[in-house]
Amino acid sequence: MGGLVVVGADGSSSSDGAVVAAAREAQRRRARLHVVHAFSWPVGALYAPLDPGPLDSLAHDAAQHARSIVPDVEVTHSVMIGGAVSVLAAESRAADLLVVGRRGSGGFVGMLLGSTAVSLAAHSHCPVLVVRDEPNRDGPVVVAVDGSAEGEGAIEFAFAEAALRDTEILAVHAWLPDHVPPGTGVESAERLLAQAVAGRRERYPDVEVRQEVLSGEPREVLIDASKDARMLVVGARGRGGFTGMLLGSVSQAMLHHAHCPVAVVRRRN
């Protein structure tokens, strides 16, 4: 396989969890792991001398921690000058997966999700995995299916992840009976779901697939499905989103409220 997994490190406990998750993702993919620490100059200190020692030590320690978990993985690290979002978005151009923690060291106490994670889910050039502080589960990879173009990429990513983990997929389509066109019903929703996963079954014959059409508001349905999942995969934008929006409301809700790690998949430009 091969490839590159990039992880953002800032010394926070959330970041530490992301480094562990990224190391395991790199091992599954037989990929390289690159640990990145982004540093922004303090306001008014543009000309002050910078001692890179503590910054490099942070990235170095995170890389060493990753090596201790997966000694067979090639691990590198770097300190980049710039905001975390701009630095990691740039790094994502060459990556197969970008991993970040749910909240960074600069988050406000009580916030469910840091702004860096949300912004990267909207601007990354590769799938973004947002790691939560809750313990990992052994459940299925859950993927949201809505028939959108963004959703196609999410389905493909979910199948690949399930194959890497030797686990099953739960493909979920949420529908509201009061919001469907006349003459359509649950049969139409079941057909959409079946068609969405049909082609992937041939490429991933060892991945068991369960399909569920559930009545309810998509955000509530997916949050509930995430309770027993090891990963939830969503497209960056689904059907019905406003043109020009980089991240849809359902994806944002999953990042804030899902009970498992969330992978957000955008179409590459």
Side-chain angles (χ1 to χ4, degrees):
M1 295 176 65
L4 174 66
V5 174
V6 173
V7 59
D10 65 6
S12 66
S13 60
S14 184
S15 160
D16 293 343
V19 169
V20 172
R24 290 172 178 157
E25 292 297 331
Q27 185 181 51
R28 290 188 183 101
R29 292 166 165 76
R30 298 196 292 275
R32 295 175 292 118
L33 175 64
H34 187 50
V35 179
V36 178
H37 175 61
F39 172 77
S40 294
W41 286 89
V43 176
L46 294 179
Y47 302 102
L50 171 65
D51 177 7
L55 301 177
D56 187 71
S57 177
L58 187 156
H60 175 269
D61 291 349
Q64 283 292 87
H65 185 43
R67 292 187 188 99
S68 71
I69 298 169
V70 287
D72 55 328
V73 171
E74 178 186 345
V75 183
T76 57
H77 71 277
S78 62
V79 175
M80 310 288 288
I81 303 300
V85 174
S86 60
V87 166
L88 292 173
E91 292 290 313
S92 74
R93 290 183 179 276
D96 299 297
L97 181 69
L98 174 62
V99 183
V100 293
R102 186 186 186 198
R103 288 183 56 221
S105 59
F108 292 99
V109 175
M111 285 185 65
L112 292 175
L113 188 71
S115 59
T116 296
V118 175
S119 296
L120 284 170
H123 294 94
S124 174
H125 298 276
C126 70
V128 176
L129 178 63
V130 179
V131 179
R132 304 183 69 84
D133 300 330
E134 298 179 26
N136 293 329
R137 299 176 177 83
D138 296 325
V141 171
V142 176
V143 59
V145 177
D146 64 0
S148 68
E150 295 274 0
E152 286 293 307
I155 296 168
E156 184 66 29
F157 181 85
F159 267 84
E161 291 303 302
L164 287 172
R165 288 165 171 75
D166 192 25
T167 192
E168 68 175 355
I169 277 184
L170 172 58
V172 175
H173 177 68
W175 73 302
L176 292 168
D178 295 337
H179 291 72
V180 297
T184 63
V186 67
E187 296 83 4
S188 177
E190 290 173 345
R191 186 163 53 251
L192 180 152
L193 186 55
Q195 291 173 346
V197 302
R200 277 82 180 185
R201 288 180 184 273
E202 298 176 2
R203 293 200 296 278
Y204 299 94
D206 296 329
V207 174
E208 182 180 346
V209 183
R210 288 190 291 128
Q211 301 170 204
E212 291 188 2
V213 174
L214 301 173
S215 176
E217 202 280 326
R219 284 167 288 197
E220 295 176 0
V221 165
L222 292 172
I223 289 170
D224 187 62
S226 75
K227 291 178 180 178
D228 298 318
R230 67 178 64 192
M231 176 187 288
L232 172 65
V233 184
V234 294
R237 285 183 59 236
R239 302 178 74 175
F242 293 103
T243 301
M245 283 185 64
L246 295 176
L247 196 63
S249 61
V250 172
S251 302
Q252 291 194 49
M254 295 310 101
L255 289 173
H256 283 279
H257 300 294
H259 299 275
C260 65
V262 177
V264 180
V265 181
R266 293 183 64 223
R267 286 184 293 173
R268 285 186 182 267
N269 295 330

